[in-house]
Coordinates of all heavy atoms in Angstrom, one line a residue:
I31 N -9.8 -25.4 65.5 CA -10.8 -25.7 66.5 C -10.3 -26.9 67.3 O -10.1 -28.0 66.7 CB -12.3 -26.1 65.8 CG1 -12.7 -24.9 64.8 CG2 -13.2 -26.5 66.8 CD1 -13.8 -25.3 63.9
K33 N -10.9 -29.7 70.1 CA -11.9 -30.3 70.7 C -11.4 -30.8 72.1 O -10.2 -30.9 72.2 CB -12.4 -31.5 69.9 CG -13.1 -31.1 68.6 CD -13.4 -32.3 67.7 CE -14.2 -33.3 68.3 NZ -14.6 -34.4 67.3
E37 N -8.5 -33.8 69.6 CA -8.5 -33.6 68.2 C -8.6 -32.1 67.7 O -9.2 -31.3 68.4 CB -9.7 -34.3 67.6 CG -9.8 -34.2 66.0 CD -11.2 -34.8 65.5 OE1 -12.0 -35.6 66.3 OE2 -11.5 -34.6 64.3
V39 N -9.4 -29.6 64.6 CA -10.1 -29.5 63.3 C -9.6 -28.2 62.7 O -9.6 -27.1 63.2 CB -11.6 -29.4 63.5 CG1 -12.4 -29.3 62.2 CG2 -12.2 -30.7 64.3
K40 N -9.1 -28.4 61.4 CA -8.7 -27.2 60.6 C -9.7 -26.8 59.7 O -10.2 -27.6 58.9 CB -7.4 -27.4 59.9 CG -6.2 -27.8 60.9 CD -5.0 -28.2 60.1 CE -3.8 -28.4 61.1 NZ -2.6 -28.8 60.4
G41 N -10.0 -25.5 59.6 CA -11.1 -25.0 58.7 C -11.3 -23.6 58.9 O -10.4 -22.9 59.3
R42 N -12.4 -23.1 58.5 CA -12.8 -21.7 58.7 C -14.0 -21.5 59.4 O -15.1 -22.1 59.0 CB -12.9 -20.9 57.3 CG -13.0 -19.4 57.5 CD -13.0 -18.7 56.1 NE -14.0 -19.2 55.2 CZ -15.3 -18.9 55.2 NH1 -15.7 -18.1 56.1 NH2 -16.1 -19.4 54.4
V43 N -14.0 -20.9 60.5 CA -15.3 -20.7 61.3 C -16.2 -19.7 60.5 O -15.8 -18.7 60.2 CB -15.0 -20.2 62.7 CG1 -16.3 -19.8 63.4 CG2 -14.2 -21.1 63.5
V44 N -17.5 -20.2 60.3 CA -18.4 -19.3 59.5 C -19.2 -18.5 60.5 O -19.4 -17.3 60.3 CB -19.4 -20.2 58.6 CG1 -20.4 -19.3 57.9 CG2 -18.6 -21.0 57.7
K45 N -19.8 -19.2 61.6 CA -20.5 -18.4 62.6 C -20.5 -19.2 63.8 O -20.4 -20.5 63.9 CB -21.9 -18.1 62.2 CG -22.8 -19.2 61.8 CD -24.1 -18.7 61.3 CE -24.8 -19.9 60.7 NZ -26.1 -19.5 60.0
L46 N -20.6 -18.5 65.0 CA -20.9 -19.1 66.3 C -22.3 -18.9 66.7 O -22.9 -17.8 66.6 CB -20.0 -18.4 67.3 CG -18.5 -18.6 67.2 CD1 -17.8 -17.9 68.2 CD2 -18.1 -20.1 67.3
E47 N -23.1 -20.0 67.0 CA -24.4 -19.9 67.4 C -24.5 -20.2 68.9 O -23.4 -20.5 69.5 CB -25.3 -20.9 66.6 CG -25.3 -20.5 65.1 CD -26.2 -21.4 64.3 OE1 -26.4 -22.6 64.7 OE2 -26.5 -21.0 63.1
Y49 N -25.4 -22.8 70.7 CA -24.9 -24.1 71.3 C -24.0 -24.7 70.2 O -23.6 -25.8 70.4 CB -26.1 -24.9 71.6 CG -26.8 -24.4 72.8 CD1 -28.1 -23.9 72.6 CD2 -26.4 -24.6 74.1 CE1 -28.7 -23.4 73.7 CE2 -27.1 -24.1 75.2 CZ -28.3 -23.5 75.0 OH -29.0 -23.1 76.0
T50 N -23.8 -24.2 69.0 CA -23.0 -24.8 68.0 C -22.2 -23.8 67.2 O -22.3 -22.6 67.4 CB -23.9 -25.5 66.9 OG1 -24.8 -24.3 66.4 CG2 -24.8 -26.5 67.5
I51 N -21.2 -24.4 66.5 CA -20.2 -23.7 65.8 C -20.3 -24.2 64.3 O -20.3 -25.4 64.0 CB -18.8 -23.9 66.2 CG1 -18.5 -23.5 67.6 CG2 -17.8 -23.3 65.3 CD1 -17.3 -23.9 68.4
V52 N -20.6 -23.3 63.4 CA -20.7 -23.7 61.9 C -19.3 -23.3 61.3 O -18.8 -22.3 61.5 CB -21.8 -22.9 61.3 CG1 -21.9 -23.2 59.8 CG2 -23.2 -23.2 61.9
F53 N -18.7 -24.4 60.6 CA -17.4 -24.1 60.0 C -17.4 -24.8 58.6 O -18.2 -25.6 58.3 CB -16.3 -24.6 60.9 CG -16.2 -26.1 61.1 CD1 -15.3 -26.8 60.3 CD2 -17.1 -26.8 61.9 CE1 -15.3 -28.2 60.4 CE2 -17.0 -28.2 62.1 CZ -16.1 -28.9 61.3
K54 N -16.3 -24.5 57.9 CA -16.0 -25.2 56.6 C -14.6 -25.7 56.7 O -13.7 -25.0 57.1 CB -16.2 -24.1 55.4 CG -17.6 -23.7 55.1 CD -17.6 -22.8 54.0 CE -18.9 -22.2 53.6 NZ -19.0 -21.3 52.4
Y55 N -14.5 -26.9 56.1 CA -13.2 -27.5 56.0 C -12.4 -26.7 54.9 O -13.1 -26.2 53.9 CB -13.2 -28.9 55.6 CG -13.5 -29.8 56.9 CD1 -14.8 -30.4 56.9 CD2 -12.6 -30.1 57.8 CE1 -15.1 -31.3 57.9 CE2 -12.9 -30.8 58.9 CZ -14.1 -31.4 59.0 OH -14.5 -32.2 60.0
E56 N -11.1 -26.5 54.9 CA -10.3 -25.8 54.0 C -10.6 -26.4 52.6 O -10.4 -27.7 52.5 CB -8.8 -25.8 54.3 CG -8.1 -24.7 53.7 CD -8.7 -23.2 54.3 OE1 -8.9 -23.1 55.3 OE2 -8.6 -22.4 53.3
G57 N -10.8 -25.6 51.5 CA -11.0 -26.1 50.2 C -12.4 -26.7 49.9 O -12.7 -27.2 48.9
E58 N -13.3 -26.7 50.9 CA -14.6 -27.2 50.8 C -15.7 -26.1 50.9 O -15.5 -25.1 51.7 CB -14.9 -28.3 51.7 CG -14.1 -29.5 51.5 CD -14.4 -30.6 52.5 OE1 -15.5 -30.6 53.2 OE2 -13.6 -31.6 52.6
D59 N -16.9 -26.2 50.3 CA -17.9 -25.2 50.4 C -19.0 -25.7 51.4 O -19.8 -24.9 51.9 CB -18.6 -25.0 49.1 CG -17.7 -24.4 48.1 OD1 -16.8 -23.6 48.6 OD2 -17.8 -24.6 46.8
A60 N -19.1 -27.0 51.7 CA -20.1 -27.5 52.6 C -19.9 -27.0 54.0 O -18.8 -27.0 54.5 CB -20.1 -29.1 52.6
E61 N -21.1 -26.6 54.6 CA -21.0 -26.1 56.0 C -21.1 -27.3 57.0 O -22.0 -28.2 56.8 CB -21.9 -25.0 56.3 CG -21.7 -23.7 55.6 CD -22.7 -22.7 56.0 OE1 -23.7 -22.9 56.7 OE2 -22.4 -21.4 55.7
N62 N -20.3 -27.3 58.0 CA -20.4 -28.4 59.0 C -20.7 -27.8 60.4 O -20.4 -26.6 60.6 CB -19.0 -29.1 59.2 CG -18.6 -29.7 57.9 OD1 -19.0 -30.8 57.5 ND2 -17.8 -29.0 57.0
T63 N -21.3 -28.6 61.2 CA -21.7 -28.1 62.5 C -21.1 -28.9 63.6 O -21.1 -30.1 63.6 CB -23.2 -28.1 62.7 OG1 -23.8 -27.2 61.7 CG2 -23.6 -27.5 64.0
I64 N -20.6 -28.3 64.6 CA -20.0 -29.0 65.8 C -20.6 -28.4 67.1 O -20.8 -27.2 67.2 CB -18.5 -29.0 65.8 CG1 -17.9 -30.0 66.8 CG2 -17.9 -27.6 66.0 CD1 -16.5 -30.2 66.8
S65 N -20.9 -29.2 68.0 CA -21.4 -28.7 69.3 C -20.4 -27.9 70.1 O -19.3 -28.3 70.2 CB -21.9 -29.8 70.2 OG -22.2 -29.4 71.5
K66 N -20.7 -26.8 70.7 CA -19.8 -26.1 71.6 C -19.4 -26.8 72.7 O -18.3 -26.7 73.2 CB -20.4 -24.8 72.0 CG -20.5 -23.6 71.0 CD -21.0 -22.4 71.7 CE -20.8 -21.3 70.6 NZ -21.2 -19.9 71.3
V69 N -16.1 -28.6 72.0 CA -14.9 -27.7 71.8 C -14.4 -26.9 72.9 O -15.2 -26.3 73.8 CB -15.4 -26.6 70.6 CG1 -14.2 -25.6 70.3 CG2 -15.9 -27.4 69.4
I72 N -10.9 -22.0 70.0 CA -10.8 -21.7 68.6 C -9.6 -20.8 68.6 O -9.6 -19.8 69.3 CB -12.0 -21.2 68.0 CG1 -13.1 -22.1 68.1 CG2 -11.7 -20.8 66.6 CD1 -14.5 -21.4 67.7
G105 N -28.8 -31.4 67.7 CA -27.8 -30.7 67.1 C -26.6 -30.4 68.2 O -25.5 -30.0 67.8
S108 N -23.3 -33.1 68.3 CA -22.4 -33.2 67.1 C -20.9 -33.0 67.6 O -20.6 -32.0 68.2 CB -22.7 -32.1 66.0 OG -21.8 -32.1 65.0
G109 N -20.0 -34.0 67.3 CA -18.7 -33.9 67.7 C -18.4 -34.7 69.1 O -17.3 -34.8 69.4

Side-chain angles (χ1 to χ4, degrees):
I31 302 168
K33 295 170 60 175
E37 180 187 348
V39 178
K40 294 178 182 180
R42 187 176 57 80
V43 174
V44 176
K45 63 184 168 185
L46 296 175
E47 295 179 339
Y49 294 103
T50 58
I51 299 166
V52 179
F53 71 97
K54 291 181 180 182
Y55 286 107
E56 204 59 42
E58 294 183 13
D59 293 329
E61 289 188 350
N62 299 276
T63 304
I64 188 169
S65 170
K66 281 187 172 180
V69 177
I72 300 169
S108 178

